[in-house]
Amino acid sequence: MTVRTGGGVHVTEHGGSGDPVLLLHGIGGSADSFAGQFAALAARHRVLAWDAPGYARSAEPADAPGMAGYAAAAAALLRERGAAPAHVVGVSWGGVIATRLALDHPGLVRTLVLADSTRGSGRTEEKAAAMRRRAGELAAIGPEAFARARAPKLLSADAPEELVDRVATAMARSIRLPGYAYAAASMAETDHNGVLGRISVPALVVAGDRDVVTGVAESEAIAAAVPGARLEVIAGAGHLSNVERPEAFNRLLLEFLT
């Protein structure tokens, strides 16, 4: 494993040969969210996983990046490390960043994987408002309590308590203000519904069948809108399908990248 920091963005690297794969975590995560994918991917690919700006080991951005800003930061990372074009894998919020990366910087993206993702919370006023409220909740109760409240929703109802605890602990270590507030604001302002048809790279859309955060219907809508996209549903997985069912997730991912 190689750990690098450039431009204030912390990147974890595995492997070193083969096509590059960029992993973009969800709004409560970090590069460590992909621990269950590193070994499987590194056998065939050069793997890069970031801590998004303002998360975990990465520096705070100077101000709110917006979704385009996060995509620009990911684009800069790929250019700086000579890793373009890359297979880009995004989970949840990371999938929304990946979508914007493919739209704004199409030459840097080889393929696109959107796992338990969304078209953005800006699709309705209700969803946008709920997303904006999260920063206040985090400020009021702190990262540990916030993570303990959120973690059970990210997994299926049958997930073992040990896994729920692990997700909560990882989230508490990854999130802080203002980084989390900036991320939530980027989601609240985003509605990709009308532009998904412009994506021109091969795409795989993955959803856990027990995802109660974004839901299978949202992944179905994304897959229907992205030209030629393939939809796969993982049985027994909640919102963090790559964490809860890593073997099934890795199998789909490797088959698609091959």
Side-chain angles (χ1 to χ4, degrees):
M1 180 184 74
T2 302
V3 175
R4 299 180 180 178
T5 302
V9 175
H10 179 281
V11 180
T12 300
E13 291 196 32
H14 292 265
S17 60
D19 295 336
V21 178
L22 176 63
L23 304 175
L24 304 175
H25 62 80
I27 199 167
S30 70
D32 299 339
S33 302
F34 294 102
Q37 282 68 61
F38 288 147
L41 285 171
R44 305 182 191 179
H45 298 277
R46 176 188 176 194
V47 184
L48 302 93
W50 80 351
D51 294 343
Y55 275 75
R57 294 149 291 196
S58 288
E60 302 293 349
D63 49 28
M67 198 61 69
Y70 289 112
L77 183 160
L78 291 175
R79 293 190 184 101
E80 289 166 2
R81 286 164 171 75
H87 303 287
V88 181
V89 180
V91 172
S92 192
W93 173 57
V96 186
I97 298 173
T99 298
R100 184 63 64 90
L101 179 63
L103 290 167
D104 291 356
H105 310 274
L108 302 181
V109 179
R110 187 184 301 265
T111 65
L112 191 62
V113 179
L114 306 175
D116 301 284
S117 193
T118 170
R119 290 165 287 180
S121 301
R123 295 195 60 247
T124 70
E125 291 184 7
E126 180 182 4
K127 290 180 179 179
M131 185 59 70
R132 290 191 180 98
R133 284 195 297 270
R134 289 197 192 182
E137 295 168 4
L138 175 56
I141 65 176
E144 289 78 14
F146 185 87
R148 290 289 166 190
R150 293 285 308 167
K153 304 173 186 177
L154 303 178
L155 302 165
S156 71
D158 297 328
E161 192 62 30
E162 180 276 331
L163 181 58
V164 177
D165 289 343
R166 180 152 51 91
V167 168
T169 299
M171 182 187 297
R173 291 173 178 168
S174 300
I175 61 173
R176 62 180 183 271
L177 296 172
Y180 189 89
Y182 291 161
S186 75
M187 283 291 285
E189 71 186 21
T190 298
D191 178 3
H192 283 155
N193 191 53
V195 295
L196 293 178
R198 290 169 33 204
I199 293 176
S200 57
V201 298
L204 171 66
V205 180
V206 179
D209 69 343
R210 301 185 187 184
D211 182 354
V212 296
V213 177
T214 52
V216 174
E218 182 68 8
S219 288
E220 289 174 340
I222 293 171
V226 175
R230 169 181 151 199
L231 174 68
E232 294 285 352
V233 178
I234 298 178
H239 184 61
L240 297 181
S241 59
N242 69 304
V243 173
E244 190 166 6
R245 293 289 182 268
E247 296 85 2
F249 186 92
N250 294 348
R251 183 172 60 253
L252 290 174
L253 185 55
L254 289 171
E255 287 174 356
F256 176 70
L257 298 185
T258 302

